[in-house]
Amino acid sequence: MSMLTSSQLKESFLKNRIGLVGIGILAGLIVVSALTVVFVPLETYRQWNNPASWTSMPKSALPAWVNYFSDKKIPEHQIIEGSQTILQKSQSTYTLIQSFESDYAFDYFPDDLILQYKVAYSGSSIIQIHVIRPDGIQMDLYRSSIPFAESETVFSDRVFSTNEMIRKNLRLQTAAFSFPIEGLSASEIVFSKTDLNEVLKGRYVFLVKITGTDEISILDSQMIIGGKVFGIIGTDELRRDLSIGILWGIPVALFIGIVVSVGSVVAGLVFGVYAGYKGGKTDESMMRINDIIYALPALPFLIILSVTTSNSIFLLIGFLMIFGWVGVAKVSRSMALQIKTRQFVDAAKVMGQKDSKIITKHIIPQILPYALASIAISVPAAITTEAGLSFLGLGDPSFPTWGQILHDAKSYGAAARGLWWWIMPPGIMIAVTGLAFVFIGNALESTANPKLGRR
């Protein structure tokens, strides 16, 4: 039995179109993973489960590209930086005025309005928010005092359109509208026509005025007009950008799948080949150990272990390795039983080579194509098992995996609410990643079969 060389394996693999498609998909996933690690801020990965980090994002927003297929233009999420800051000084007060401008051209009302600001000040200060609409009407939205500070202090805050003071101020301006505004949200009132409850399109200018007894400086400020569409994939109920979770899920999935498959296949290959080569009582005892582990129901056992020990992703990888090697060991043993009867193995024994050298130099290389195919085919199983455990709430919540995204979608009733963009992308990514390795595994298996004498 001749050994399959790397050049022969490569030549045979390149003739398999399915294998090349799998390699292409895998190469794309690796490139995207590398770009994600390099260009997507690591902080987004660390803060995935921190709701405070995503307050500037819209809630349950559709992907932005749906506007290309919609008759009416759905409002996009806008984060507006202050365009102008005016400092006014008098004998006893300092006043800062900052403006935020938006050309609103959408057919639906925005979801909400949020002002984020950070100021450095001392003494007493008051913040006021006004809006000048396209029709020239100025509305007073908000007025509140900033906590008194004896020395220079940095203060940051967020003002939401759901604030009761904003709702109260808008109710005081009902005379500007010819229809009842009770029951409307603040953003609907601000962006509505005066004679009809429809969107008033045009240029809106939000003015933020901060008045204090001492000098004031604005360190950072943003006006957020909450849209209903955002980004390539949209957002979830927790305002998280789903594209971030999908992108970070690629390197995590590849890490889990490759580590588990390589570890389990190598362990099973060595275990099975050694048992088959040694034979006798050694083979019998090793196979009984294999049968015991093989008889354990893997998924229920993994669930029990996750609940009783820890849901760490590294512990999960270890558990998947423990249950993943037994099938490979059985097949490797049967192959080793056939190969050890060949003449080249007998010749190696006559020459006095050690058992370890015979196994590593003469037997394992013959089974290597099967091992490579097993590694490729085992990757999807590891990825889907992790996704299944995460979907059941037993995964590691600190990692933005595709299974964790699906678990959150289930928890917030995404399917019942029609939030398809929260469900489909992680499911598609799991399927595409698995398909890439299945294609590669099938190509390797068809390459290996003639050398193993099965066809």
Side-chain angles (χ1 to χ4, degrees):
M1 181 177 182
S2 60
M3 185 185 300
L4 185 68
T5 64
S6 59
S7 60
Q8 290 174 329
L9 179 64
K10 180 181 177 181
E11 182 181 355
S12 180
F13 186 87
L14 290 176
K15 295 179 181 178
N16 192 303
R17 294 182 180 180
I18 294 295
L20 293 177
V21 171
I23 288 292
I25 297 173
L26 179 58
L29 292 173
I30 292 173
V31 169
V32 173
S33 297
L35 294 175
T36 299
V37 173
V38 173
F39 293 106
V40 179
L42 185 61
E43 195 63 24
T44 59
Y45 174 85
R46 294 171 177 168
Q47 299 297 324
W48 177 253
N49 287 307
N50 181 11
S53 300
W54 304 95
T55 54
S56 61
M57 297 291 113
K59 182 185 290 187
S60 301
L62 286 157
W65 48 263
V66 300
N67 262 331
Y68 294 107
F69 307 97
S70 177
D71 294 334
K72 292 187 176 181
K73 199 170 183 183
I74 305 171
E76 298 176 0
H77 192 68
Q78 301 180 55
I79 301 178
I80 308 168
E81 303 289 341
S83 60
Q84 186 177 5
T85 303
I86 301 172
L87 175 62
Q88 299 176 348
K89 296 175 64 176
S90 65
Q91 293 181 350
S92 59
T93 61
Y94 291 82
T95 301
L96 270 179
I97 302 175
Q98 191 170 46
S99 62
F100 303 84
E101 300 181 7
S102 171
D103 289 321
Y104 198 82
F106 304 104
D107 296 308
Y108 298 96
F109 293 105
D111 272 352
D112 51 22
L113 300 170
I114 305 172
L115 172 67
Q116 296 183 161
Y117 67 95
K118 181 189 290 186
V119 294
Y121 72 103
S122 60
S124 299
S125 299
I126 294 175
I127 181 172
Q128 301 174 72
I129 305 175
H130 313 279
V131 60
I132 301 175
R133 294 157 37 103
D135 55 10
I137 296 176
Q138 177 172 320
M139 291 183 169
D140 300 327
L141 300 179
Y142 183 78
R143 177 186 174 92
S144 180
S145 60
I146 298 175
F148 176 80
E150 295 183 357
S151 58
E152 186 173 3
T153 303
V154 175
F155 176 77
S156 60
D157 193 16
R158 293 186 180 95
V159 180
F160 294 85
S161 58
T162 53
N163 186 286
E164 185 57 34
M165 181 176 292
I166 293 179
R167 297 171 63 88
K168 180 180 178 181
N169 287 337
L170 288 173
R171 283 196 294 267
L172 295 175
Q173 301 174 69
T174 54
F177 298 90
S178 59
F179 61 92
I181 61 174
E182 292 291 336
L184 298 180
S185 67
S187 56
E188 287 179 314
I189 297 172
V190 170
F191 286 84
S192 178
K193 296 178 180 179
T194 56
D195 57 345
L196 193 63
N197 187 21
E198 292 182 357
V199 175
L200 176 64
K201 300 179 182 180
R203 181 170 172 268
Y204 288 80
V205 180
F206 293 88
L207 300 174
V208 177
K209 182 188 293 185
I210 302 177
T211 305
T213 55
D214 296 316
E215 191 168 351
I216 308 165
S217 61
I218 298 178
L219 304 179
D220 186 29
S221 62
Q222 291 177 332
M223 175 64 71
I224 300 169
I225 301 178
K228 300 178 187 293
V229 297
F230 179 83
I232 299 175
I233 302 180
T235 63
D236 61 16
E237 185 70 13
L238 301 176
R239 301 176 182 266
R240 297 177 300 193
D241 185 353
L242 288 172
S243 63
I244 299 294
I246 296 297
L247 288 174
W248 278 117
I250 297 175
V252 173
L254 291 178
F255 173 76
I256 293 172
I258 293 174
V259 170
V260 170
S261 62
V262 170
S264 58
V265 169
V266 169
L269 180 68
V270 174
F271 187 93
V273 169
Y274 185 80
Y277 177 77
K278 295 297 289 185
K281 293 183 178 179
T282 301
D283 179 31
E284 185 70 20
S285 58
M286 291 179 72
M287 285 299 101
R288 296 298 74 77
I289 295 173
N290 181 280
D291 291 339
I292 291 171
I293 299 177
Y294 195 80
L296 294 175
L299 185 58
F301 207 79
L302 284 170
I303 293 173
I304 294 171
L305 291 174
S306 298
V307 172
T308 56
T309 55
S310 170
N311 56 0
S312 168
I313 197 168
F314 299 103
L315 191 60
L316 175 61
I317 289 173
F319 289 154
L320 291 175
M321 286 183 184
I322 291 173
F323 292 105
W325 64 271
V326 288
V328 177
K330 279 185 172 294
V331 178
S332 300
R333 171 183 173 271
S334 65
M335 291 181 176
L337 288 173
Q338 297 176 23
I339 296 172
K340 77 174 185 178
T341 61
R342 300 300 176 91
Q343 293 180 354
F344 63 88
V345 175
D346 293 334
K349 291 179 180 179
V350 171
M351 294 174 62
Q353 291 186 3
K354 296 180 180 179
D355 291 346
S356 59
K357 189 174 183 179
I358 293 173
I359 290 173
T360 57
K361 188 176 180 180
H362 298 288
I363 298 180
I364 288 182
Q366 303 300 318
I367 310 176
L368 192 58
Y370 160 75
L372 294 175
S374 297
I375 289 174
I377 294 173
S378 298
V379 171
I383 293 174
T384 53
T385 301
E386 183 281 328
L389 290 173
S390 294
F391 180 75
L392 295 174
L394 301 172
D396 192 337
S398 60
F399 286 82
T401 64
W402 299 326
Q404 195 66 40
I405 294 174
L406 290 173
H407 166 71
D408 294 338
K410 175 178 70 73
S411 300
Y412 287 94
R417 296 166 57 191
L419 307 182
W420 53 266
W421 61 92
W422 196 352
I423 302 169
M424 290 182 63
I428 291 173
M429 290 306 300
I430 292 172
V432 169
T433 306
L435 198 62
F437 285 98
V438 168
F439 283 170
I440 295 171
N442 288 340
L444 289 171
E445 188 177 15
S446 64
T447 299
N449 278 335
K451 295 297 180 181
L452 291 175
R454 287 180 290 176
R455 279 202 282 263

